[in-house]
Amino acid sequence: MVDTVEVAVVGAGMFGSAAAKYLSRAGFEVLVIGPAEPAPGAASDRYAFGAHFDAARITRRLGWDEVWGATDSRSQERFRSIEDESGVPFFHDCGSLILMAKSIGHRTDAIVHQSAAKHINVDRLTADELRDHLPDLGLPPLEGGVEGLLERRDAGYLNPRRLVQAQLTLAARAGGRLRRAAVVGMRKDTATGMWHLDVRGDGGPGVVRARKVVVATGAFTNHNGALPPGRRLALRAFSEPNLLFEVTGELLERLRRLPTIVTVDPVDNGDANLTLYLLPPVRYPDGRWYLRVGPGMQPMVHELHTVEDMVAWYAGQRVTSEQHKILSAMMHMLVPSLEPVSVRQACCIIEKTPSRYPYIGHLDGDESITVAVGGNGHGARGSDEIGRLAANLVIGKPWDFPIPQDVFKPLLEHPHEGEGRPDFLRPPFGLC
């Protein structure tokens, strides 16, 4: 079976679905290629996993720096209209709180200044004000004390499954198509300039021929045949262990008043670093409500070097005993009154680029192939803008983002790229 299209979007996750929407609306014939979510307990498939297969990701407009502040705020400002247009709700407006160490007050000053320039309402709260406002919240012992940045509105969490559903719904309305399959290899026909994508999935094996390709395959980009032979991006994948604490009854009702929370600890003290993120109770597909805690980039966040490592991590959904111990202590530090009904483990993957920013650009100067990968922990909340920018490159529109295009230039992997301790493994890790 051969399918011929103008643009093939490889990856049906948050970046790919957003890019497909904008390309379809621009009048392109678009085919999105991505496998369906595997059933719980199903046999592992190296092509079947994705970071959007979850119920909650933090979203807000306030950013660690101007780059993420722009991608995140632009996306957040469109989420309500995406919900309205698609008929798919995915955003929960519960507010966002960042707990900063007072020893890095200059960083807090910069974030507040950046927020004011973008007309984002942020309250800067002292430790006493935090205790008064959020009596169920414990404050971490950060260097120099703690202060908080509270974004009360237009911030909270989104359901990434539903966000992708909403984007694909809008792409389909504009003429885009979805094929539940995986790209297992690609090559360019030098005579015609067309890309030939080998696919496996719905309808059996086949070939998709496309004039242009968008690659939005996240952490698996270097491993599953989603890039031309011999091409690998400077992109590293890390395990992201999470614990989910089930709550019910009166405690559930109290804790549902919490905003999403991120702590920023600048001290480089290994796994004792207190950087973390916390999601208030979220209802998961099993009908139960869970608080979710995850780390920054402490040493317990292990690098995943091969596709086998990544599949085993995703498929197993089992954190290590040391990760469990550290995350449990973090959770009880922030929610001292917590007495969970049960505790679940969850495993995700975070991909990191050397710049800490996403790759949005043509691969190796070839305008027929564009990449949009490297969420760096911000992928969900910045996804609509990242997808829009990638689509604009395919369309040939001028760059209209306030940050220079070179900041997002895709970098190819070089020998010894993975050696040494990169900057993104040194605190402060930024905002999860």
Side-chain angles (χ1 to χ4, degrees):
M1 175 183 175
V2 178
D3 202 347
T4 302
V5 295
E6 282 187 279
V7 183
V9 177
V10 183
M14 290 176 280
F15 291 3
S17 62
K21 175 188 69 177
Y22 287 107
L23 287 165
S24 299
R25 285 178 167 178
F28 284 80
E29 182 189 15
V30 177
L31 177 66
V32 185
I33 308 169
E37 181 174 2
S44 60
D45 183 328
R46 63 184 287 167
Y47 302 102
F49 296 98
H52 63 286
F53 297 147
D54 190 26
R57 290 286 186 272
I58 292 175
T59 184
R60 58 175 176 265
R61 292 182 296 161
L62 185 153
W64 178 250
D65 58 26
E66 291 186 355
V67 178
W68 286 117
T71 58
D72 297 355
S73 62
R74 286 185 171 205
S75 295
Q76 178 65 47
E77 288 162 5
R78 293 193 285 263
F79 283 158
R80 289 296 193 194
S81 64
I82 294 171
E83 286 185 315
D84 292 342
E85 292 169 14
S86 67
V88 180
F90 58 82
F91 171 58
H92 183 77
D93 194 346
C94 64
S96 167
L97 174 64
I98 299 169
L99 297 176
M100 301 283 291
K102 293 185 73 173
S103 63
I104 52 171
H106 63 287
R107 284 294 324 171
T108 310
D109 292 341
I111 294 171
V112 170
H113 177 76
Q114 173 187 310
S115 300
K118 294 181 179 296
H119 307 290
I120 300 172
N121 293 323
V122 176
D123 294 336
R124 190 169 186 171
L125 304 177
T126 66
D128 287 341
E129 289 171 330
L130 287 166
R131 293 187 187 96
D132 290 342
H133 182 66
L134 297 167
D136 284 300
L137 179 66
L139 298 182
L142 299 179
E143 185 179 57
V146 180
E147 59 181 330
L149 297 178
L150 179 61
E151 194 175 350
R152 296 178 186 269
R153 297 182 57 189
D154 297 321
Y157 63 85
L158 59 82
N159 183 312
R161 284 191 184 96
R162 291 179 183 169
L163 170 59
V164 169
Q165 180 188 351
Q167 300 283 38
L168 291 175
T169 296
L170 295 176
R173 287 182 188 168
R177 292 187 291 129
L178 171 64
R179 182 169 178 178
R180 285 303 185 189
V183 172
V184 299
M186 67 162 61
R187 63 194 182 281
K188 191 174 186 180
D189 186 329
T190 55
T192 64
M194 296 287 285
W195 286 96
H196 290 231
L197 311 180
D198 298 316
V199 300
R200 189 190 75 184
D202 285 359
V207 173
V208 173
R209 299 174 71 249
R211 185 167 59 86
K212 293 189 175 184
V213 174
V214 177
V215 176
T217 44
F220 287 87
T221 298
N222 284 334
H223 301 281
N224 277 345
L227 291 177
R231 293 290 186 269
R232 288 176 62 90
L233 292 174
L235 184 72
R236 295 167 68 173
F238 293 82
S239 65
E240 185 181 318
N242 285 189
L243 291 182
L244 282 72
F245 295 76
E246 183 187 357
V247 288
T248 60
E250 187 269 338
L251 180 61
L252 167 62
E253 295 308 311
R254 290 204 333 259
L255 296 181
R256 286 185 68 187
R257 303 186 192 117
L258 289 175
T260 61
I261 298 168
V262 171
T263 66
V264 180
D265 183 355
V267 180
D268 194 356
N269 56 351
D271 282 334
N273 181 277
L274 296 177
T275 299
L276 62 88
Y277 64 86
L278 173 73
L279 283 146
V282 175
R283 190 172 188 177
Y284 272 71
D286 64 2
R288 300 177 181 182
W289 293 83
Y290 298 92
L291 287 96
R292 183 173 186 139
V293 66
M297 293 298 296
Q298 293 94 330
M300 68 164 162
V301 177
H302 305 139
E303 186 164 7
L304 303 169
H305 296 280
T306 67
V307 68
E308 290 77 18
D309 290 342
M310 289 189 280
V311 169
W313 175 252
Y314 262 135
Q317 291 294 298
R318 299 288 296 178
V319 307
T320 68
S321 58
E322 186 64 18
Q323 290 168 339
H324 195 292
K325 178 181 176 181
I326 294 169
L327 291 173
S328 183
M330 286 179 167
M331 174 62 86
H332 285 92
M333 173 186 67
L334 280 189
V335 189
S337 63
L338 180 62
E339 295 182 2
V341 175
S342 67
V343 181
R344 274 180 49 191
Q345 303 176 29
C347 299
C348 195
I349 293 177
I350 182 169
E351 72 262 27
K352 287 286 188 176
T353 62
S355 66
R356 302 193 191 196
Y357 301 131
Y359 291 145
I360 312 170
H362 301 308
L363 182 64
D364 215 13
D366 186 342
E367 294 187 2
S368 69
I369 181 168
T370 303
V371 299
V373 300
N376 288 272
H378 297 249
R381 60 183 171 270
S383 60
D384 191 71
E385 181 65 3
I386 292 168
R388 187 190 72 86
L389 291 171
N392 281 355
L393 290 176
V394 175
I395 296 167
K397 288 185 176 181
W399 185 259
D400 62 355
F401 194 67
I403 307 299
Q405 186 175 350
D406 281 351
V407 170
F408 306 97
K409 181 180 179 180
L411 301 178
L412 294 178
E413 185 180 70
H414 295 290
H416 313 298
E417 189 82 52
E419 296 181 2
R421 190 182 184 207
D423 286 343
F424 58 71
L425 293 182
R426 295 184 174 91
F429 303 120
L431 301 180
C432 306

